[in-house]
């Protein structure tokens, strides 16, 4: 077994689905893995001990948000993100590229970088590839991301220009990345819904030789057909011995379809965001706990679920909490939804190791298609 | 040792301060004890496993709130409060008397009961002593309270009339109380700041022979001198072999002064309420985590505190959470503040058992007088 920093070992492959181990300074990540998102250095409504208890192994935090508040230098001075937020497992930070785009904060984008306004106080800031890497080095996550330009996935001209910039920025990020034993820098494949741009991006990044590769700019409004086709086209171009991360994807069907196409790592705010609106992910579709049908229901959110919420509380109780605007309602639903995706990834890994992924995927996809509640 | 339901055994007395054991169907309560308040069947921002972890043994819930939402019959049908909210330790419900008064919900009060408006939807409801006992039987807490009339502590005429009513209602509650092996009914001593009314109330209730006695209508605007004098006057009139509960009191100095005057049980929403506003209880006074002085402070909320928040997180991190309006900020501050009062009671118990309560009280009161932050 390699102990080289950030080595990725493929343990089994079943069709395109992969089970592997990704070595990080904060422990070995078993893949496939789903990462809860802690945008502001906390997974909303959930404590680090809740995260560990529900089986989370990798946690993501957002560079854009933490740079603005409380500041990456403050976090560095307090020992880095792991110490700051009390999470001693593997962590990943994004580069801020997606946030300056999706939060409509951009003032100006040029070949050197992006000038944007803070969503907190309206002040003006500038990210360049070098600055995004520096901030992520201050934050200190195990995996950091290249600074990229995001774009409307259906605008070919824009994607053409943005991709050129993203590829040049990837090279600059590589040059700026100087603590290679402590942090792995991943390249991000962009290119919208255009197969040729995606292929060009993947091949270009592979030539630069990153410790891992992400597929970005998906799950942003394109069709599922487009999303799955792009993944299917990109993963064969990526090296077998490097981890592959599909950014911002987090539903049961999308995780299964992603793993079936060779993805190893996922993250998404969805499970905790919908939790705060009263929605629970179940193996048979999503339920809305506000619905009157749950008012006197003594059953758990999802039969057979092993999470803390399902082991101790009824739908009736969680509905009462949500109706009464009690914080514990958000906490229990967040724990449950994260557990659902984290354990889906764990279960997929087991199915791959046992070479029964196709059957597993078929059954879970069929069940997830049932919508009720 | 007695195994009679709701027996109270005095283990040690040091001055007026008492250490005892109160037997309940959900376990033995070691006194003095501080009870976190779960108004709507949840201690705000804290899960039952957090409560157990921070050392809580007794949890209070509010009859008025739970009667209105989700309804006492729903809770009964789902197995009672313990099952509903996932707390298997001792529980106590108040009677709703204080809420209909303090929430200004009263439409009409007469000798038979109180008609009031719901704070949730404005609908009209009626509590009588019998109804308050019935609702509390549906909720199923270990300790239930007599329905009482609360009043301005400084209005003697009002207190005179209210006390007469409260005493008659106490008799009616006793008559309505029919599951005496499962629930203990406590009488509530009222009478405002008037020593003679308080004595009359205490002596009258003791003649009715309750399994325990509460002192109500304090910490509602009267001076500390009045509050402590009333406690001092009442406790000697109560039987030594029954628990004594001071309702709604929850600061470090008040708990110490209460125990010094023979109180066994306390509850208060204060620690969790101020937590949600960014205040932390420390051994040396209260701090406001919003203050800029905490911005880069790597130290815990309270040096030497053993709670989850202090063991894992800095003031700087908790300040960041609160500034960013993250739920975990309320959770960590609530855990810390509850731990402070729960463990103050545990530490007082130990000091009483070791016959050093006076020294302990002097030191803690002197420290708590230092205000900063």
């Amino acid at each position: 077994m390699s102990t080289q920093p950030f080595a990725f070992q493929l343990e089994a492959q079943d069709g395109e689905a992969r089970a592997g181990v990704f070595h990080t300074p904060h422990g070995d990540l078993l893949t496939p893995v789903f990462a809860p998102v802690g945008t502001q250095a906390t997974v909303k409504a959930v404590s680090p001990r809740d995260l560990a208890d529900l089986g989370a192994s990798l946690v993501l935090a957002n560079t854009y948000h933490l740079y603005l508040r409380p500041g990456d230098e403050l976090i560095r001075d307090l020992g880095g993100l792991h110490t700051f937020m009390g999470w001693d497992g593997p962590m990943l930070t994004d580069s801020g590229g997606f946030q300056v785009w999706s939060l409509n904060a951009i003032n100006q984008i040029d070949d050197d970088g992006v000038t944007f306004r803070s969503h907190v106080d309206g002040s003006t800031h500038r990210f360049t590839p070098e600055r995004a890497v520096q901030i992520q080095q201050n934050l200190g996550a195990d995996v950091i991301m290249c600074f990229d330009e995001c774009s409307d996935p259906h605008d070919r001209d824009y994607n053409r220009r943005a991709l050129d910039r993203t590829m040049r920025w990837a090279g600059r990020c590589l040059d700026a990345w100087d603590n290679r034993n402590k942090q792995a820098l991943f390249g991000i494949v962009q290119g919208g819904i255009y197969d040729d741009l995606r292929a060009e991006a993947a091949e270009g990044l592979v030539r630069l030789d990153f410790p891992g590769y992400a597929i970005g700019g998906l799950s942003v409004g394109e069709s599922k057909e487009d999303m799955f086709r792009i993944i299917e086209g990109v993963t064969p171009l990526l090296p077998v011995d490097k981890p592959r991360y599909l950014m911002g994807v987090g539903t049961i069907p999308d995780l299964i379809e992603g793993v079936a196409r060779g993805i190893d790592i996922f993250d998404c705010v969805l499970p905790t965001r919908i939790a705060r609106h009263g929605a629970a992910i179940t193996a048979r579709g999503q339920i809305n706990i506000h619905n009157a049908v749950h008012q006197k229901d003594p059953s758990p959110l999802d039969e057979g679920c092993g999470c803390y919420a399902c082991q101790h509380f009824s739908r009736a109780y969680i509905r009462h909490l949500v109706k009464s605007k009690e914080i514990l309602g958000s906490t229990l639903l967040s724990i449950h939804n994260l557990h659902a995706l984290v354990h889906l990834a764990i279960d997929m890994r087991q199915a791959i190791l046992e070479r029964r992924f196709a059957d597993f995927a078929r059954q879970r996809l069929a069940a997830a298609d049932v919508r009720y509640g």
Side-chain angles (χ1 to χ4, degrees), chain A residues 185-365:
Chain A
L185 175 67
F186 280 24
I188 305 179
V189 176
Q190 290 286 0
I193 58 162
Y194 304 102
D195 298 347
D196 58 330
L197 297 184
R198 289 285 181 173
E200 178 188 324
E203 288 163 353
L205 291 172
V206 170
R207 278 193 297 273
L208 293 176
D209 192 19
F210 286 92
Y213 299 88
I215 305 180
L218 289 181
S219 203
V220 293
E222 79 289 358
S223 69
K224 293 288 180 196
E225 290 69 25
D226 280 338
M227 178 166 100
F228 298 147
R229 193 193 68 252
I230 293 297
I231 300 169
E232 229 167 77
V234 167
T235 52
L237 305 176
L238 301 175
V240 165
D241 62 346
K242 297 288 166 67
R244 305 161 179 174
Y245 162 33
L246 179 57
M247 305 182 80
V249 166
T251 67
I252 286 180
D254 288 355
L255 258 66
I256 296 170
E257 300 284 4
V259 167
R261 289 164 176 81
I263 298 294
D264 306 306
I265 301 172
F266 302 84
D267 81 286
C268 196
V269 296
L270 196 78
T272 47
R273 179 173 295 161
I274 64 175
R276 296 194 305 282
H277 292 103
I281 296 168
T282 83
R284 298 178 57 205
Q286 200 167 298
I287 66 168
N288 181 343
I289 203 69
H290 284 95
N291 287 352
V293 67
H294 307 303
Q295 189 179 6
K296 300 180 180 178
D297 191 343
S299 58
L301 293 173
D302 200 5
E303 291 290 352
C305 174
C307 84
Y308 173 66
C310 288
Q311 292 298 303
H312 293 86
F313 307 99
S314 62
R315 291 184 178 191
Y317 179 62
I318 295 172
R319 182 177 188 273
H320 162 67
L321 294 176
V322 170
K323 285 288 190 185
S324 304
K325 304 194 193 310
E326 285 285 355
I327 288 172
L328 186 60
S330 293
T331 298
L332 294 179
L333 283 162
S334 296
I335 285 173
H336 170 77
N337 287 351
L338 290 174
H339 183 278
L341 295 191
V342 163
H343 279 263
L344 171 62
I346 291 170
D347 292 347
M348 286 196 286
R349 175 181 164 81
Q350 195 58 33
I352 295 163
L353 291 172
E354 297 170 4
R355 304 295 196 282
R356 53 177 177 77
F357 179 74
D359 281 350
F360 176 91
R362 199 162 27 241
Q363 285 165 19
R364 291 298 303 265
L365 285 172

